[in-house]
PDB file of all heavy atoms in Angstrom:
ATOM      1  N   HIS A 265      -8.978 -19.116  13.640  1.00 95.00           N
ATOM      2  CA  HIS A 265      -7.607 -19.478  13.239  1.00 95.00           C
ATOM      3  C   HIS A 265      -6.868 -18.228  12.795  1.00 95.00           C
ATOM      4  O   HIS A 265      -7.181 -17.624  11.744  1.00 95.00           O
ATOM      5  CB  HIS A 265      -7.661 -20.442  12.022  1.00 95.00           C
ATOM      6  CG  HIS A 265      -6.332 -21.108  11.766  1.00 95.00           C
ATOM      7  ND1 HIS A 265      -6.075 -21.800  10.590  1.00 95.00           N
ATOM      8  CD2 HIS A 265      -5.166 -21.091  12.464  1.00 95.00           C
ATOM      9  CE1 HIS A 265      -4.828 -22.215  10.620  1.00 95.00           C
ATOM     10  NE2 HIS A 265      -4.270 -21.786  11.720  1.00 95.00           N
ATOM     11  N   VAL A 266      -5.960 -17.777  13.619  1.00 97.00           N
ATOM     12  CA  VAL A 266      -5.315 -16.465  13.471  1.00 97.00           C
ATOM     13  C   VAL A 266      -3.790 -16.629  13.659  1.00 97.00           C
ATOM     14  O   VAL A 266      -3.356 -17.438  14.471  1.00 97.00           O
ATOM     15  CB  VAL A 266      -5.830 -15.432  14.511  1.00 97.00           C
ATOM     16  CG1 VAL A 266      -5.104 -14.115  14.379  1.00 97.00           C
ATOM     17  CG2 VAL A 266      -7.332 -15.281  14.316  1.00 97.00           C
ATOM     18  N   LYS A 267      -3.026 -15.888  12.869  1.00 97.00           N
ATOM     19  CA  LYS A 267      -1.580 -15.841  13.034  1.00 97.00           C
ATOM     20  C   LYS A 267      -1.109 -14.385  13.173  1.00 97.00           C
ATOM     21  O   LYS A 267      -1.851 -13.451  12.863  1.00 97.00           O
ATOM     22  CB  LYS A 267      -0.856 -16.529  11.919  1.00 97.00           C
ATOM     23  CG  LYS A 267      -0.922 -18.010  11.889  1.00 97.00           C
ATOM     24  CD  LYS A 267      -0.094 -18.656  10.804  1.00 97.00           C
ATOM     25  CE  LYS A 267      -0.027 -20.170  10.881  1.00 97.00           C
ATOM     26  NZ  LYS A 267       0.739 -20.613  12.060  1.00 97.00           N
ATOM     27  N   THR A 268       0.144 -14.237  13.625  1.00 97.00           N
ATOM     28  CA  THR A 268       0.724 -12.843  13.819  1.00 97.00           C
ATOM     29  C   THR A 268       1.762 -12.574  12.749  1.00 97.00           C
ATOM     30  O   THR A 268       2.365 -13.487  12.215  1.00 97.00           O
ATOM     31  CB  THR A 268       1.279 -12.738  15.204  1.00 97.00           C
ATOM     32  OG1 THR A 268       2.375 -13.682  15.374  1.00 97.00           O
ATOM     33  CG2 THR A 268       0.254 -12.984  16.272  1.00 97.00           C
ATOM     34  N   VAL A 269       1.958 -11.285  12.466  1.00 96.00           N
ATOM     35  CA  VAL A 269       2.917 -10.848  11.454  1.00 96.00           C
ATOM     36  C   VAL A 269       3.669  -9.604  11.939  1.00 96.00           C
ATOM     37  O   VAL A 269       3.037  -8.685  12.463  1.00 96.00           O
ATOM     38  CB  VAL A 269       2.213 -10.511  10.102  1.00 96.00           C
ATOM     39  CG1 VAL A 269       3.196  -9.913   9.142  1.00 96.00           C
ATOM     40  CG2 VAL A 269       1.573 -11.762   9.541  1.00 96.00           C
ATOM     41  N   TYR A 270       4.984  -9.634  11.817  1.00 94.00           N
ATOM     42  CA  TYR A 270       5.766  -8.444  12.173  1.00 94.00           C
ATOM     43  C   TYR A 270       7.015  -8.420  11.284  1.00 94.00           C
ATOM     44  O   TYR A 270       7.291  -9.349  10.524  1.00 94.00           O
ATOM     45  CB  TYR A 270       6.172  -8.470  13.667  1.00 94.00           C
ATOM     46  CG  TYR A 270       6.972  -9.709  14.095  1.00 94.00           C
ATOM     47  CD1 TYR A 270       8.317  -9.705  14.208  1.00 94.00           C
ATOM     48  CD2 TYR A 270       6.271 -10.866  14.449  1.00 94.00           C
ATOM     49  CE1 TYR A 270       8.999 -10.853  14.536  1.00 94.00           C
ATOM     50  CE2 TYR A 270       6.951 -12.010  14.832  1.00 94.00           C
ATOM     51  CZ  TYR A 270       8.293 -11.974  14.886  1.00 94.00           C
ATOM     52  OH  TYR A 270       8.999 -13.123  15.290  1.00 94.00           O
ATOM     53  N   ALA A 271       7.794  -7.337  11.393  1.00 90.00           N
ATOM     54  CA  ALA A 271       8.872  -7.069  10.407  1.00 90.00           C
ATOM     55  C   ALA A 271       9.898  -8.171  10.320  1.00 90.00           C
ATOM     56  O   ALA A 271      10.290  -8.581   9.241  1.00 90.00           O
ATOM     57  CB  ALA A 271       9.504  -5.731  10.738  1.00 90.00           C
ATOM     58  N   ASN A 272      10.420  -8.644  11.471  1.00 90.00           N
ATOM     59  CA  ASN A 272      11.478  -9.643  11.441  1.00 90.00           C
ATOM     60  C   ASN A 272      10.960 -11.086  11.549  1.00 90.00           C
ATOM     61  O   ASN A 272      11.756 -11.978  11.828  1.00 90.00           O
ATOM     62  CB  ASN A 272      12.412  -9.339  12.638  1.00 90.00           C
ATOM     63  CG  ASN A 272      13.174  -8.015  12.458  1.00 90.00           C
ATOM     64  OD1 ASN A 272      13.496  -7.655  11.338  1.00 90.00           O
ATOM     65  ND2 ASN A 272      13.390  -7.331  13.559  1.00 90.00           N
ATOM     66  N   ASP A 273       9.714 -11.283  11.230  1.00 90.00           N
ATOM     67  CA  ASP A 273       9.127 -12.614  11.275  1.00 90.00           C
ATOM     68  C   ASP A 273       9.581 -13.392  10.009  1.00 90.00           C
ATOM     69  O   ASP A 273       9.242 -13.024   8.891  1.00 90.00           O
ATOM     70  CB  ASP A 273       7.590 -12.500  11.259  1.00 90.00           C
ATOM     71  CG  ASP A 273       6.892 -13.810  11.285  1.00 90.00           C
ATOM     72  OD1 ASP A 273       7.535 -14.849  11.306  1.00 90.00           O
ATOM     73  OD2 ASP A 273       5.635 -13.781  11.199  1.00 90.00           O
ATOM     74  N   GLN A 274      10.344 -14.486  10.206  1.00 89.00           N
ATOM     75  CA  GLN A 274      10.864 -15.227   9.065  1.00 89.00           C
ATOM     76  C   GLN A 274       9.774 -15.948   8.301  1.00 89.00           C
ATOM     77  O   GLN A 274       9.966 -16.335   7.130  1.00 89.00           O
ATOM     78  CB  GLN A 274      11.903 -16.267   9.580  1.00 89.00           C
ATOM     79  CG  GLN A 274      13.089 -15.644  10.275  1.00 89.00           C
ATOM     80  CD  GLN A 274      13.881 -14.695   9.352  1.00 89.00           C
ATOM     81  OE1 GLN A 274      14.201 -15.057   8.195  1.00 89.00           O
ATOM     82  NE2 GLN A 274      14.201 -13.492   9.846  1.00 89.00           N
ATOM     83  N   GLN A 275       8.607 -16.173   8.900  1.00 92.00           N
ATOM     84  CA  GLN A 275       7.491 -16.848   8.252  1.00 92.00           C
ATOM     85  C   GLN A 275       6.483 -15.919   7.665  1.00 92.00           C
ATOM     86  O   GLN A 275       5.434 -16.341   7.237  1.00 92.00           O
ATOM     87  CB  GLN A 275       6.807 -17.770   9.300  1.00 92.00           C
ATOM     88  CG  GLN A 275       7.741 -18.761  10.028  1.00 92.00           C
ATOM     89  CD  GLN A 275       8.405 -19.699   9.035  1.00 92.00           C
ATOM     90  OE1 GLN A 275       7.801 -20.183   8.115  1.00 92.00           O
ATOM     91  NE2 GLN A 275       9.703 -19.902   9.270  1.00 92.00           N
TER      92      GLN A 275
END
Side-chain angles (χ1 to χ4, degrees):
H265 191 193
V266 178
K267 285 185 175 291
T268 61
V269 174
Y270 57 97
N272 294 324
D273 179 4
Q274 299 300 312
Q275 305 301 317

